[in-house]
Amino acid sequence: MIVFYLIPIETGLMTAITDPSAYTGSAPYLPPAPGDVSLGPFTNAVDALSQGLANSFILVVPATILSGLLGSMAAYGLTTVDWKGQIGIYMLFVAGIFIPYQAVLVPLTQFWYNVVPLRTTVESVAPMIPLLQEFHWKLIALIVTHTAYGIPICTLLFRAHYKKLSDEMVEAARLDGASITRIYRRIILPLSVPMFAVVFIYQFTQIWNDLLFALTIIQFGDASVVTQDLVSIGVSQEGTNFPLRMAAALVAALPTLLVYIFFGDKFAKGVTA
Amino acid sequence: MRNPLTVLKRLVSDSGDARTDGGTASSGTSLLSRDSIRSAPFWLPPFLLVGLFVYGAILWNVVLSLTDFQGLGDPNYGDLDFENYVVAFDGGTPSWTDYSIDPIWNATQNTVVLMVAFAIVCLALGLLLAILVDQQIRFENTFRTIYLLPMSLSFVVTAKFWLYMYDYNTGLVNIALGAFGFGPIEIVQNPDLKLAAVAFALIWQYSGYAMVVYLAGLRAIPSSHFEAARVDGASTIRMYWRVIIPQLRTATVSALVVLVVFSLKAFDFLFSMYGGYNPGPSADILATQMVREAYGNQNWAYGSSIAVVLFLMALAVVAPYIYSQYRQGQL
Amino acid sequence: SGSDDGSDGIQLLHAWSEGDGNAAIAALIEGFQEEHPDIEFSEDPVDGAARSNLDQVISNRLQSNDPPSTFQTWPGKTLEKFGDAYADIEGDVWNDDLKNNYRSGPQEQAQLDGTYVTVPINIHRINNLFYNTAVVEEAGVDPTSWSSPSDVVDGCAQISEETDAVPFAHQTSSAWSTSQLWETVFLAMAGADGYDDFLNGEGDESTVEDALANVVELEEYFPGNSSSIGFTEANTMVQEGEAAFIHQGDWAAGAYSGNDSFNYGEDWDYVPYPGTSGSYLLNMDSFPYFDDNPTPEDTKTFLSYCGTTDAQIRFNREKGSIPPREDADVSQLNQFQQDQFDHFTNADAQPPSIEHGLGVVPQVKTNISEAFSAFIESYDAGATAGDLVGAFN
Amino acid sequence: MAELTLDSITKVFTEDDGNEIVAVDDVDFEIADGEFLVLVGPSGCGKSTTLRMVAGLETITEGEIRLGGRRINDKPPAERNIAMVFQSYALYPHMTVKQNMSFGLEESTDMSDDEIDEIVTDTAEMMGIANLLDRKPDDLSGGQQQRVALGRAIVRDPEAFLMDEPLSNLDAKLRATMRTELQRLQEDLGVTTVYVTHDQTEAMTMGDRIAVLDDGILQQVGTPLECYHTPNNYFVAGFIGEPSMNFFELDVEGDALVGEHFEYPISDQLRGAVSGSDSVTLGIRPEDVEFRADAMPTEPTDFACTVDVVEPTGDANNVYLTFDDDNSDEPRTFIVTVSGMDRVESGDKVVARFPESAIHLFDEFSGEALKNRSLEDVESVDISI
Amino acid sequence: MAELTLDSITKVFTEDDGNEIVAVDDVDFEIADGEFLVLVGPSGCGKSTTLRMVAGLETITEGEIRLGGRRINDKPPAERNIAMVFQSYALYPHMTVKQNMSFGLEESTDMSDDEIDEIVTDTAEMMGIANLLDRKPDDLSGGQQQRVALGRAIVRDPEAFLMDEPLSNLDAKLRATMRTELQRLQEDLGVTTVYVTHDQTEAMTMGDRIAVLDDGILQQVGTPLECYHTPNNYFVAGFIGEPSMNFFELDVEGDALVGEHFEYPISDQLRGAVSGSDSVTLGIRPEDVEFRADAMPTEPTDFACTVDVVEPTGDANNVYLTFDDDNSDEPRTFIVTVSGMDRVESGDKVVARFPESAIHLFDEFSGEALKNRSLEDVESVDISI
Ligand SMILES: Nc1ncnc2c1ncn2[C@@H]1O[C@H](COP(=O)(O)OP(=O)(O)OP(=O)(O)O)[C@@H](O)[C@H]1O
Ligand SMILES: Nc1ncnc2c1ncn2[C@@H]1O[C@H](COP(=O)(O)OP(=O)(O)OP(=O)(O)O)[C@@H](O)[C@H]1O
Ligand SMILES: [Mg+2]
Ligand SMILES: [Mg+2]
């Protein structure tokens, strides 16, 4: 059973350390013959993906944090502080989880390219701000989009968590003189840490592995994220360079793999804590 | 231990405070409304974002599905009709093209089968794994991580991997079948098996999630229930079947929600596995058909209407969930 | 003339991010910039989108009224997809030089409803049958003597009897290879005219079915795991001597050229697919001109350059295909390319490929792809024939 | 420090379906400066709601709450200068004990960090938790957590303490210890305190006075002994005391109170008490029943009984008696407590006497007390070896 | 129905790191057919483990358990014909009461559905829960759940009942009611019962005999009064009884037991008891201290004391005394219980007498009882009005 769950990674790894010219495609889960071992695919993959990796990080980190934070705020605003109508609003959040991305691609393109003047704004201020590149406008658009689409599930997860927090504790804080904002900052936020682990891991993987929104919003160019680069790497009309492709896939998957290996446990605990 | 009923009461009642006090304690009302206004900074920005991007986009998409938009120029919003939906259900040649259009029945059927099979098997497998891991507390964390690992991989890797697995000559699936004396079978392009093969791969990727949720669910059941059932004379299987599994309803529902979200990602997998959005009629789903129509054929409006159908289907799965959560005061 | 609107220069979008395609486009741009050092190419690297996604990107950009200068596209009926967005370049680009030196087949494909809108840069031939000479000799078959698709089937039967090799290396994990095989067989059976009728929606259903039936017969000789492999693995089988034949576009030969121990004429050889020797079944790439062009003058300058023999030799030397211009000096190309070019210049017909989008409009192409996606599940020649003929309405 | 006044306080909850629940109904009482008042009553009677209104956690539907004479109805909780100790302690789990105790001062005052530090340290020392200051609540035992929760309340030097069943999560032995500790602390600090409990022992032993609530309505406010010996009504009589008072329904018929199994003579003293009632409930506490083995009834207030069950608790025996006149299938039992040194066996024939001075009478319908024990009786009893 | 024998039962848990925990250490006792045995002891002493070994939920490391004479060590739980009632009731929340009660019969017998139905209905009627049969456990009150859990055990007509703190989740009043109900039920059914509790009252009142465990080791098996009045050792003496016995450490010096604050004369009767010890612990139960206000000590067993705190509990007062000789900062208090009718005030000067007949002496080191109350004393006290 364990083997069954692990073998794809092993297969990818074995393929990725095979010299492309010696690659035959049969029994790829066996290690290559010693003479055919090569790290070339990995170095090539890292070279080819470096820009995409950098862009992905620029995208994923803020989008993950923002969606987590906003989700937590929404959950707090809709749970710990009680008021009329919150259930209706919350239902809208929940339904938002189940929207297939395909269903919104057209409007999203129209919105980012034709409705908001984000591009011209960024292009005009970019020269004045260090590190800000003109193409970053696409990443900003994508960050906002992923944030918006991540909020519903984050809200759901956080709300479940907050409902388990003791009402008495929040009341104690109110008696202690803390305002709603202070209660959030000093009580709720620190106590959300386990849930943030879950939400961050979930969002990190989802956003990191997403291709559809990236294709729709970034489309191509300097701002391409790693999944976009991954689609085409190693594929050309004369054939597919599988070792390079697998190496690239592993390089691209490395952040999420590491996240799961090191924090998967927190994820598992938080999911159902 | 907090009684869920108390929580519910509190939930219901605190929101009721403002109403209760109506005219009698006007200052109290303002105190509470001050609370709800003060809470606005927390929920309003996320709500606006979601409202604009998620619901705005969906509404826009719905309007688009009523047009004849074919990708170029601006959609004509002045001329809205349900023609696309008629075509989607009946097929035929719509007014905006010379070619006949496939209805969505085949893809709908595949989508439903895929979603249902995926969800059910994921849950069943997840449950089985959870029960197994539950017995062996020692390496639990390692097991959990391993079962979750496939979730972190991109489809580029897993699609290729499953092609290997299903290989007629060297694939492990066929080798395993061979060990049981079954001849190798064609899987990837076998019309009878390919949808199952896709579902299976997705199950492999996401059953770890179900496992994690179930494991926590199992842990939440007091050990005295296991023991009571044993003292009552139930065999292990009967004990799980009659006493333990029925208590995992909440876990099942919460896993199901996320699994439905995952099942919407089947598109990405099919796309990688069959090298495009044309996986063949036996594995065609609404998502592939939608992208094929919109991006392949430039039938944008028609694609939008398929997307709307897909969304409504997802909603049909989820609405009962939301409703029951609401009824139980879990919202 | 310099950059005419002060933007970043010519934006060329393409999907050649890897291998020979990448080298070819680089060589082309280099040649262009040698000639026009004042014209810039956008500093954005233009790769980063796979072929299947490139159209989506273009579509998105057109929807946002932001077309690129030009992009990599199949010419012919594929142009219908963004039909309204293209502009006439007859005269500016398609001058007499081009008109005189492109053969009629390729020249037709450069037009959308009779208007010149794109410049083809290369030609890949689809109707090739490559083989491993050692395997073929071991089995005692002689492909050069074959004249019809059924000979291929018979030959495969002999290979299968005489050797351990897979007779016909083929992938069916996705449908394009099979669709491509069928159009070749169909061309052989229906002839160039019958093929043309099909493109016009008037195909003879029984011939279509016969061609499919031939493919079904061949299917017996595909590798057992054809559905799990891709084209690369199939092609590797031929190189490794594990398979005798492969039907492919001439890019298959590009892979052989990277293999030092697998040489043209010695270890491998090819014939035009039996029954199609008089035809050069076209697959081309081209660069169209968008109406709302961000760099109108520079784009035209670039497209004009693409129409020159210099550009086409630079490009095709890397790409493995042949130049569409008859007057190209192919001595810089390899022997296989020279042989192909020879075939090309002598071909009676240059029919456009269906699978590669030249022969039919996108909607029909999608219908045909769907039909083949079904075909490789069921191998039901009769049903697929109906689907194929029906793809036009 | 200040006195706390609840002036006709009412709380109505409106449920989603429009149902109104009157959780607290026109409750009035006053707690003197420094007094320790225990609020008792069965589950759901409105104890917590009352407390939460005082704290400002629930709005007040009607009435006025005054602290030190000032109306506090409209003040937010933070400005009321009241500290509350919760049943679950409600410690902030992510903060150390010190941070928990500092939180309120940081949020509601502008003291410097040093000042806060000093106060917290002093209080911790007083509470004997100075060595725990850097621990997190999860690393503390229940009793320690309890002490931290108290410390957190004390640090703020509030005008009043509110405590909602603060000991109910502790086990019996610890509860006993904390009970005396808390009591002593309150005496030392002299802070006005309202203490909610449903534990008999806490109610009887801890407070200066007890307020008994039932169904949102105040039944009695008085010292523990007043409530025990001179309950206002049937409810208080039954609620206070463990084991409960024995009750018998009797009809007033001429010179006797007539019940199913016995008649109780109406003496001249009793005459006035029962004059307005047709039927009354006679109550007598288990320890007030006098008890003699193997004897015949000698007085009209003596009844022949049989021992049903004996529960020895070591220092005492709870003896369950049935009337000999009772021939029903499930005979009615009543409890008598006798010293643990007395050996009684199931089946023994005994005589139980209900001394007139010890009985209580309640109106059958209104439940109001018609006759109670006299408190003077209680005090006059001589203590001797 | 059958007698249950535990023969030198030992349970050793091996932890992950190889540590061995001896949870139950060589425990021996026998429970007669139909007897009600209460197993008490502090938390972690091995009560549950013992019970679970009997039920078959834990393996037995050493020793033998016999039910009705047959060894059951190796039988799976289902075949032991034993029913268990859990502290948390362990009702299956997704089943109705009826399904809960039927489950065991369905799983362990091959009765027809009709037969099962009949048995369940009959039992439910007997337990007074017939009207609840279609409800789910969550819709029941604590007491009702308790009754269902009992009903579920009874339905199976087992040879023995095992109950692990079955009442500890109920509130005080309900606990008292259920206590007698359970006791009566057990008497009616006559099923051999082992009942685990750490509640004093339950231990004293419910069982025919008590078995006291500490740290896995059996300390004493005897009737409640034996354990109360003639404890085998210091542990049992301190554990049984609430408030606890007062203890004083004394050295044996010549004719007196000498402590910090008082000396206790060694009479001739005592001489023998203390002859083997250098220091002893003197114990006296709070109700055994005799007590007089405003008087001087007249006998060597009288001690001048001051009242520290009085806790009235209604029927009794717990009086905390300090010795007048005790000048330390936190003077040592001891408890005396007096009748609730006695009025004592904090600060009163009193005399406390420790009658020799009432004191217990334990060896300081082994803890073994050197002198106990005589049980005859207890029984000979006269009962009189
Ligand atoms: N938020 C609320 N909404 C509606 N009804 C409520 C709410 N809070 C309390 N109640 C009702 O008010 C009544 C009094 O509740 P309260 O919590 O004050 O009782 P309590 O005396 O503290 O009980 P317990 O001893 O169980 O804590 C109950 O009937 C309860 O159901
Ligand atoms: N499964 C186990 N593994 C290791 N040690 C255990 C296990 N179960 C119990 N113990 C240990 O055995 C000892 C006895 O535990 P047991 O549960 O029998 O105590 P108990 O008397 O029932 O306590 P309580 O009154 O708290 O229920 C304890 O020290 C406990 O830690
Ligand atoms: Mg309460
Ligand atoms: Mg236990």
Side-chain angles (χ1 to χ4, degrees), chain A residues 161 189-199 266-267 269-271 273:
Chain A
H161 183 62
L189 213 50
L191 288 177
S192 307
V193 170
M195 214 52 202
F196 268 109
V198 174
V199 162
K266 290 203 170 56
F267 178 77
K269 288 203 184 98
V271 161

Side-chain angles (χ1 to χ4, degrees), chain D residues 7 9 34 65 74 92 103-104 129 157 266 296 335 357:
Chain D
D7 192 349
I9 292 299
I65 297 183
D74 309 324
Y92 312 126
F103 185 85
I129 49 172
D157 189 21
I266 303 181
M296 292 300 291
I335 306 187
S357 65

Side-chain angles (χ1 to χ4, degrees), chain E residues 9-148:
Chain E
I9 292 299
T10 296
K11 173 75 195 181
V12 180
F13 288 109
T14 311
E15 291 196 317
D16 274 353
D17 53 13
N19 266 359
E20 297 207 330
I21 296 178
V22 183
V24 176
D25 195 355
D26 198 24
V27 163
D28 265 311
F29 55 79
E30 210 162 305
I31 305 156
D33 187 4
E35 192 186 5
F36 194 123
L37 181 101
V38 177
L39 201 55
V40 287
S43 186
C45 71
K47 305 181 293 292
S48 297
T49 306
T50 307
L51 211 62
R52 293 161 52 81
M53 282 191 286
V54 177
L57 296 170
E58 302 279 5
T59 55
I60 299 157
T61 311
E62 259 171 63
E64 190 171 276
I65 297 183
R66 288 184 295 274
L67 184 65
R70 281 163 299 117
R71 174 189 160 98
I72 55 168
N73 284 37
D74 309 321
K75 287 198 184 173
E79 288 171 24
R80 296 193 178 193
N81 206 4
I82 283 175
M84 184 152 172
V85 179
F86 295 84
Q87 173 175 3
S88 61
Y89 315 143
L91 297 178
Y92 311 128
H94 57 292
M95 297 185 189
T96 61
V97 168
K98 184 174 208 159
Q99 288 166 335
N100 262 289
M101 291 175 67
S102 314
F103 184 82
L105 292 177
E106 289 168 11
E107 293 296 331
S108 62
T109 69
D110 40 17
M111 289 186 196
S112 73
D113 285 359
D114 286 347
E115 286 172 292
I116 292 178
D117 214 77
E118 201 188 308
I119 298 180
V120 169
T121 316
D122 288 353
T123 311
E125 251 153 38
M126 180 183 84
M127 303 289 300
I129 49 175
N131 54 331
L132 307 177
L133 280 177
D134 293 324
R135 297 228 212 134
K136 296 264 177 84
D138 280 349
D139 301 336
L140 303 179
S141 72
Q144 290 170 328
Q145 290 186 26
Q146 224 304 313
R147 234 164 282 182
V148 175

